[in-house]
Amino acid sequence: MMRLIDRICDLLAILAGIYLVGIMFGIVISALARTLNLSGSWSSHIFTFTEFGLLYIVMAASPWLVRHRGHVFIELLSAALPLRMQRPYSRVISALCVVICLVLVWYTWGATARAWKFGDAEMRSLDMPKYLLLGAMPIGFGLMAAQFLRFVFGPETMHTGEAGVHE
C-alpha cells in the first residue's frame, strides 16, 4: 500500500514541478504582453491560474517532501535528548503531525463538500467551482498523514538527532 502511496506522491510532485514551470512561463508571457501592449482579458486568467496553482503546488508536493524529510523542522531539542529518548520523541512528534493532518483532512473535506453542495464558485477573472480549489487540501493532507505514519511505525524516524544543516 505504501508503494502505491509513494508512486502517487511522486506523480503529484512531478505535476507540481510542471505547474511551477508553467507559472513561470505564464508570468513571462503576461509581462511580455503588457510590455508590448497586447494584454487582454486572457492575461488576467494567467494571474488567476497562478493564484490557484500556488495552492495546488503546495498540496501536491508536500507529501513527497514529508517522505524525504524536506519540510523545515528544528532538531535542536532532539539533538539535546539522550540517545534512548530520541527515537520515541521523534515518533511522538510524527504521531502529532498525523493527528494534525487528519484534523485538517476532516475540516477541509467538510469545506469542500459544502462548496460542492451549495455550488459555490471562486469569482476571479474566471469563475471556478470552489470545490476544485478546496479539493486539493483533503487529498494533500491525507497523503501527508500517510507519509508521517511511516515515521511513526516504520524503521526510520523523522529526526536524525543531530542539530544543524544536513545536505
Side-chain angles (χ1 to χ4, degrees):
M1 183 64 165
M2 280 310 283
R3 283 183 191 256
L4 175 63
I5 291 172
D6 287 348
R7 298 297 73 81
I8 291 169
C9 292
D10 290 343
L11 176 64
L12 289 174
I14 290 167
L15 291 174
I18 292 168
Y19 204 138
L20 191 59
V21 170
I23 287 173
M24 179 196 67
F25 283 120
I27 290 169
V28 169
I29 290 168
S30 182
L32 185 62
R34 263 185 277 138
T35 301
L36 299 174
N37 204 21
L38 298 174
S39 59
S41 64
W42 61 271
S43 63
S44 61
H45 296 326
I46 292 173
F47 185 74
T48 299
F49 281 113
T50 298
E51 283 182 323
F52 292 157
L54 294 176
L55 176 64
Y56 292 142
I57 289 167
V58 168
M59 289 294 112
S62 289
W64 183 87
L65 283 170
V66 170
R67 185 173 83 224
H68 293 282
R69 296 181 190 96
H71 283 283
V72 174
F73 56 92
I74 300 171
E75 296 209 44
L76 192 60
L77 183 56
S78 65
L81 289 172
L83 216 52
R84 70 180 192 287
M85 294 299 298
Q86 288 178 359
R87 290 180 71 80
Y89 166 79
S90 184
R91 293 192 191 283
V92 167
I93 296 299
S94 297
L96 182 61
C97 291
V98 170
V99 170
I100 290 168
C101 285
L102 291 177
V103 167
L104 289 168
V105 166
W106 174 77
Y107 181 77
T108 58
W109 177 254
T112 304
R114 279 190 299 280
W116 171 276
K117 180 180 176 183
F118 294 115
D120 293 346
E122 190 63 33
M123 308 287 192
R124 306 280 179 171
S125 65
L126 143 95
D127 296 346
M128 182 174 183
K130 200 168 190 174
Y131 68 86
L132 289 177
L133 184 60
L134 297 176
M137 290 190 280
I139 294 167
F141 286 123
L143 289 170
M144 280 187 267
Q147 293 296 344
F148 277 119
L149 276 173
R150 159 178 282 145
F151 299 121
V152 176
F153 298 111
E156 297 179 67
T157 60
M158 187 167 56
H159 301 88
T160 63
E162 301 172 9
V165 178
H166 306 287
E167 299 222 348

